[in-house]
Amino acid sequence: MRTDTPRGTLPAREHLLAHTAGRPVLDVVIPVHNEEKDLERCVRRLHDHLVRTFPYSFRITVADNASTDATPQVATWLAHSIPEVEACRLEEKGRGRALRTVWSHSDAPVLAYMDVDLSTDLNALLPLVAPLISGHSDLAIGSRLARSSRVVRGPKREFISRAYNLILRGSLAARFSDAQCGFKAIRREVAERLLPMVEDTGWFFDTELLVLAERAGLRIHEVPVDWVDDPDSTVHIVSTATEDLKGVWRVGRALAVGGLPLDRLARPFGDDPRDRQLSGVPGGLARQLVGFCVVGALSTLLYLLLYSLFRAGVGPQVSNAGALLLSAVANTAANRRLTFGIQGRERAVRHQAQGLVVFGIGLALTSGSLAALDAAATKPSHGTELAVLIAANLAATMLRFLLFRAWVFPDRRDDHAPADRHVPADDERPASELPYTVRNSR
């Protein structure tokens, strides 16, 4: 997985201005491969629809990925004929590769794409991008599986689509309803952070993008669409399904081991006064306390279970040390991920080492309590030992939270906040970073 994303959290979403100093507000990408017959009809129909109904400036970018027919020539001719159309040529196949390339170099604040067959009713385009323009959502997708959607397609494709989305729900806990509908949009600042984490360059690109966005807590808006299947579609269902399942396994494994810095996609609250932090109140304290208590309760149960198991074979001091050590490692890992929201492997070893120091303090408290109990009673019962250990663990837990918050997992967002980044214009970028692009000269 690629993780070369900017550090720091995303800025708060803001409503986009209608006029963006010569830049289009919306860039609609049409990825194509050998579509010489349908390309002109698609582009002209989309352009006519946007001119008549879309209240913001826009651009249509044809992303030709390794076509071997006359598609590049048609795209170039359209770019020269229509002011709002551009053409981009890539020498390698892959819908995901085409979208990543164009989105990464686009200057529009809202980026979208749709399939060249225009199976989706274009009346859904404005509802798709409106939540992104207003600042309400981070991504938007068209859904063919919503109750109010109207879909015309064969039973085979219907079954495959629903089965695939059930697999995503069962394996990756996805909550969005339609991963593969070719009708999506994303805000540019989100794409800048999210695209470097997406590894797939083919049809699984959409799914990977959505799963990572959802796991990071970004807001995904779904729009019911009317959709008519293209009987001449060239998608190879079996090979595509196989690659998708491989992608599900790869992404699931990366999420399971915490191999992605999804914390860099976190969003602060917006500009509602109710969302502003109160002076003198540490941010996230209430949520962290709840998470710490839940993890602490589970860790205590684990500790008591381990102590009881060890006590059957060894003395109380050894049993206490072994149970506390194992439960402390699990407690540090759980608090790191769930309470303080730290993902990925960065500083993981250091956090565990610091957690062991905190464990040493807890060990001193609980061991001292056991020593005091032994001095006060000749042969204390097992129940008495557990009661003393619970009391000592409560005191150690309070100290552990304070040390975790102030020392082990301090809030470092301000240290990683990115400075205002200058987005270079196309003529400032090295030629090696740009695909072959045809722009209208007007």
Side-chain angles (χ1 to χ4, degrees), residues 93-108:
K93 290 180 61 176
R95 181 177 69 175
R97 177 180 287 107
L99 292 176
R100 183 203 306 277
T101 301
V102 178
W103 282 357
S104 297
H105 293 91
S106 179
D107 58 353

Side-chain angles (χ1 to χ4, degrees), residues 327-401:
S327 61
V329 172
N331 181 279
T332 300
N335 275 307
R336 182 178 188 270
R337 173 66 179 87
L338 302 176
T339 303
F340 297 95
I342 300 176
Q343 304 183 42
R345 299 175 183 175
E346 185 179 3
R347 297 174 179 260
V349 176
R350 178 178 177 178
H351 290 158
Q352 280 293 348
Q354 292 172 310
L356 290 177
V357 174
V358 178
F359 151 75
I361 297 174
L363 178 62
L365 285 174
T366 53
S367 297
S369 300
L370 283 175
L373 178 63
D374 288 337
T378 305
K379 290 184 178 180
S381 66
H382 182 62
T384 303
E385 286 182 355
L386 290 180
V388 170
L389 287 173
I390 289 173
N393 263 290
L394 287 176
T397 297
M398 295 176 62
L399 181 60
R400 185 184 303 124
F401 177 75

